[in-house]
Amino acid sequence: ITLCAAAFLTGGCDDDNTASTPEIPAPELTGFSFMPDYNPDAGAGDDEAGLTEAAEGEINPSAKSVHVVFPTGGIDLASLTASFESSFGSIARIGAAVQESNISSNNFSSPVKYVLSTEDGRAETYTVTVINGKNTANELYYFNFTVDVMDDDGKPVVDDIACNINLTTGEVTAMVKYEADLTQVVPSFKASPRSTVMIGTTAQVSGETEADLSSAVTYTVNAEDGTAKDYIVTITKDDPWTGNDFNQLVFLSLIQL
C-alpha cells in the first residue's frame, strides 16, 4: 500500500502514462524546386547558360500535381536534382528508389511520379511535370567575315573583318579597304541560343550562307518565342585617294601598263 501510494503521488501507477509520440500527418508534398547549386551542369548545350536561378514548382494539393517551368528554356531535363520538402514522417520514392532532396537525380523529360508514404501505410502520389519555356533573347553576339585585299606592298592578302555591333540600335558596322569585293561574302556570326537568323525569308547559316554586303543588308534575329530584332549591316569602304590605298592603286596601275 505504501509503495502504491508513493507511486500514485509520482504518477507511477498510471497505466496510461506512457511517453507521448508526435502524431504523423497524412503524407504531403509541401515544396518542390530546382536549385542552381545542385544542378551546375543543367545546360542543354554549349551555348546554353544552364540553370542560373531557382525554378519553383507550382503544387496543386487537390490534383496531387507539380508543374515546373524553366522560363527561358535550354535546360537538359534528362538529369536534374530536385529540392523538395514533405510532411513529417513521410518518405518519398520514385518506383522503389528512395528520394533524397538535393541529392537524387532523375530524368524529367516526361512526367515523374513521386510516391509519399508513411510507416502506417498511408500514401499519396504526386505527378511532377517539368517543361522548358521558350527563349526570348534575339541578340547578335558577333558578325565577322573575310575579304581579299592588297597589303602595303601590293600583294594579295585576306583581311579578317570583325564588325562593331550596337545592340541598342541594331547597327552592325565595319570599314574595309576600297578594293575589297563585298558582293560574295560568307559571314560568320553567332546569335542567341535557339534563335534563327534571316535575310527576308531566307534562313542564314553562319560560315555557309553567302551575302551581298556591297550595300546595307538587314539581318533579322528571331527568338525562340517569335519576337524579332533587326540588325542593319553596313560596310563602308575607305577613301582610295589617301595613304597606302592610293599608293597601291598607283602601283597596280603601273603594273597594268
Side-chain angles (χ1 to χ4, degrees):
I1 296 174
T2 303
L3 290 175
C4 199
F8 175 78
L9 292 175
T10 60
C13 277
D14 188 353
D15 292 338
D16 294 330
N17 186 32
T18 57
S20 61
T21 57
E23 181 180 354
I24 298 178
E28 181 182 8
L29 191 62
T30 56
F32 195 96
S33 64
F34 294 102
M35 308 292 288
D37 288 348
Y38 305 110
N39 296 277
D41 303 314
D46 294 338
D47 293 339
E48 305 290 357
L51 191 57
T52 57
E53 59 184 26
E56 299 289 342
E58 181 180 344
I59 301 176
N60 185 326
S62 58
K64 298 296 186 290
S65 65
V66 183
H67 193 68
V68 186
V69 178
F70 295 111
T72 59
I75 302 300
D76 182 6
L77 305 182
S79 181
L80 291 174
T81 300
S83 301
F84 60 87
E85 298 175 355
S86 60
S87 54
F88 172 77
S90 63
I91 298 175
R93 290 183 174 85
I94 295 178
V98 174
Q99 301 299 298
E100 295 185 68
S101 178
N102 302 330
I103 296 177
S104 303
S105 295
N106 292 284
N107 186 348
F108 289 90
S109 299
S110 58
V112 175
K113 294 185 181 297
Y114 278 72
V115 178
L116 270 63
S117 61
T118 57
E119 62 182 13
D120 60 6
R122 290 174 296 173
E124 294 287 357
T125 300
Y126 286 78
T127 301
V128 178
T129 302
V130 182
I131 63 174
N132 271 313
K134 292 186 176 181
N135 196 358
T136 61
N138 46 25
E139 294 186 356
L140 188 63
Y141 298 140
Y142 66 75
F143 191 96
N144 305 331
F145 60 90
T146 61
V147 287
D148 295 324
V149 296
M150 296 292 183
D151 66 10
D152 293 344
D153 297 323
K155 297 179 181 179
V157 294
V158 176
D159 200 2
D160 294 316
I161 306 299
C163 294
N164 296 313
I165 300 176
N166 187 321
L167 293 175
T168 302
T169 64
E171 295 175 302
V172 181
T173 58
M175 180 171 285
V176 298
K177 288 190 173 184
Y178 181 79
E179 69 269 21
D181 181 9
L182 297 173
T183 60
Q184 295 179 312
V185 175
V186 180
S188 296
F189 54 83
K190 182 178 180 180
S192 299
R194 303 186 305 285
S195 64
T196 57
V197 181
M198 314 283 288
I199 295 179
T201 58
T202 304
Q204 305 296 299
V205 180
S206 175
E208 296 183 17
T209 311
E210 188 177 276
D212 182 355
L213 301 182
S214 58
S215 58
V217 178
T218 299
Y219 280 73
T220 302
V221 179
N222 298 298
E224 187 182 26
D225 72 341
T227 56
K229 183 173 182 178
D230 289 339
Y231 293 85
I232 301 175
V233 179
T234 305
I235 309 301
T236 305
K237 292 188 174 184
D238 65 3
D239 187 349
W241 303 111
T242 59
N244 290 327
D245 285 341
F246 175 73
N247 295 333
Q248 290 172 19
L249 287 176
V250 173
F251 178 76
L252 291 174
S253 298
L254 291 173
I255 291 178
Q256 293 173 358
L257 292 178

